[in-house]
Amino acid sequence: MLPLRLRLLGLWNTFKPQSYRPVIPSQVDHEALVSDIADALWQAPKRIRSLWSAYQGLMARKDHVGKLGQIGTTSSEEAFVLHCLLDFARPANLIEIGTYHGGSTRRILDSIEELQLDTAVFTYDIEDMVRHFRPDEAELILRDVSGRVDEEIFDRYPPGIIYLDAHPWQLLQDVARAALKREDWILAIHDCSPILCNPRMTIPKDEPRLISARTGHWERHVLADIFGVEDPLDERLDKLETESHSLRIFGSQHGLALIMPKVLVRA
Ligand SMILES: C[S@@+](CC[C@H](N)C(=O)[O-])C[C@H]1O[C@@H](n2cnc3c(N)ncnc32)[C@H](O)[C@@H]1O
């Protein structure tokens, strides 16, 4: 049970008048998405368009939307960005942080099968709530890697893709900063849309339990801090380059960010 102070803060965040109230869009501009993915991965738009049409067949066969949903989980469009990334990088492994019921893990596993890859999937959470995959398909690891991401992930697995879909401020900071120190890992982060960014967060950064769509998410705040952009709502954050990495935030329902080392994409 949360201490009284945090329970009161949670109630305040939920019910205060004119509280921050994000409305997640149900429609995505697919042409813009295709062209943004093509641009981020240095691929021809035609190739991404043809992947999208095959991907729609996969989603329909597996009933992804019906079984896994679209909002509050990795949507079809966000899963498609991960699908293109898997197709492009063909990694030895994919590390997910933030499993929940395993909806995103299911979509990732189905992409791996469809693309005939040999990618192993490890998925981290702090609680076992899995419904959508079997233990022989992906390994669930119950561990908080905050403060230990190098030992627990970057030095432990051969380079691959990390899909970060957990909201604690410290965890986001640690994973994004560690990824930017390397040029062999690709990092995707869920929930980076400006809609999910409350510029006036009212919860402490060290309190992971209260974070919800009602409070706003830390993702853009963390990225703004790391990439030296003052305002987390500044749209420069959606397409930004450093000497070694590129950051893209796709205009999907929840906003999916990709942090890619340039040497991997433009080799
Ligand atoms: C938004 S849900 C993940 C949703 C899932 N990826 C999907 O698309 O269906 C966030 C998950 O992060 C988990 N989480 C919270 N703190 C964590 C931490 N420090 N390490 C790993 N997982 C954490 C929560 O338990 C929750 O299951």
Side-chain angles (χ1 to χ4, degrees):
M1 166 96 68
L2 288 174
L4 182 63
R5 184 181 64 81
L6 292 178
R7 274 187 282 152
L8 290 174
L9 190 55
L11 282 172
W12 168 249
N13 277 316
T14 307
F15 295 114
K16 70 182 168 186
Q18 291 159 352
S19 177
Y20 161 78
R21 291 270 186 277
V23 178
I24 312 262
S26 54
Q27 298 299 319
V28 170
D29 179 342
H30 287 133
E31 257 317 295
L33 184 70
V34 162
S35 113
D36 290 346
I37 298 172
D39 178 59
L41 299 180
W42 284 47
Q43 302 278 307
K46 196 172 153 201
R47 162 113 189 104
I48 306 297
R49 229 173 264 122
S50 119
L51 278 173
W52 174 240
S53 103
Y55 191 71
Q56 284 177 293
L58 169 68
M59 286 193 300
R61 282 197 312 282
K62 303 279 181 177
D63 190 18
H64 280 166
V65 174
K67 287 187 177 151
L68 310 172
Q70 277 284 77
I71 302 296
T73 178
T74 305
S75 70
S76 302
E77 287 77 4
E78 290 150 359
F80 177 62
V81 177
L82 298 176
H83 183 87
C84 292
L85 203 55
L86 283 162
D87 177 65
F88 164 80
R90 312 185 82 76
N93 57 63
L94 183 141
I95 316 295
E96 180 177 55
I97 306 176
T99 319
Y100 192 45
H101 293 326
S104 45
T105 326
R106 177 75 270 147
R107 288 186 186 255
I108 289 164
L109 288 165
D110 291 342
S111 285
I112 289 171
E113 187 188 34
E114 176 85 356
L115 296 167
Q116 301 182 347
L117 302 179
D118 228 352
T119 306
V121 177
F122 301 88
T123 180
Y124 287 75
D125 207 299
I126 47 174
E127 209 185 320
D128 183 351
M129 295 171 271
V130 169
R131 292 181 191 164
H132 297 300
F133 64 88
R134 299 185 312 269
D136 64 324
E137 293 182 292
E139 185 179 340
L140 173 69
I141 302 169
L142 295 178
R143 199 173 301 154
D144 179 0
V145 298
S146 308
R148 291 174 296 130
V149 293
D150 281 320
E151 309 90 280
E152 292 284 353
I153 293 181
F154 290 93
D155 296 338
R156 180 167 174 194
Y157 302 96
I161 296 173
I162 297 178
Y163 178 41
L164 175 54
D165 190 9
H167 309 306
W169 182 86
Q170 190 63 55
L171 180 66
L172 290 160
Q173 281 274 345
D174 289 353
V175 177
R177 286 194 189 277
L180 280 164
K181 277 195 259 145
R182 322 242 169 179
E183 295 193 58
D184 47 4
W185 282 85
I186 297 171
L187 173 61
I189 312 178
H190 199 229
D191 295 320
C192 296
S193 152
I195 293 165
L196 286 171
C197 174
N198 177 0
R200 285 176 292 282
M201 293 288 277
T202 52
I203 51 170
K205 287 178 175 160
D206 61 357
E207 178 39 66
R209 291 166 294 183
L210 293 180
I211 305 165
S212 74
R214 285 285 171 86
T215 59
H217 289 283
W218 286 119
E219 278 72 353
R220 274 185 96 91
H221 291 266
V222 167
L223 292 175
D225 185 27
I226 292 177
F227 285 92
V229 174
E230 207 176 308
D231 176 1
L233 291 176
D234 190 328
E235 53 188 44
R236 277 178 301 169
L237 208 52
D238 299 327
K239 186 171 182 182
L240 194 148
E241 306 278 329
T242 70
E243 221 164 271
S244 53
H245 289 77
S246 66
L247 166 67
R248 294 283 185 282
I249 300 178
F250 300 100
S252 57
Q253 291 87 342
H254 313 85
L256 189 92
L258 276 192
I259 298 180
M260 311 258 309
K262 287 181 178 171
V263 285
L264 284 190
V265 194
R266 297 165 200 189

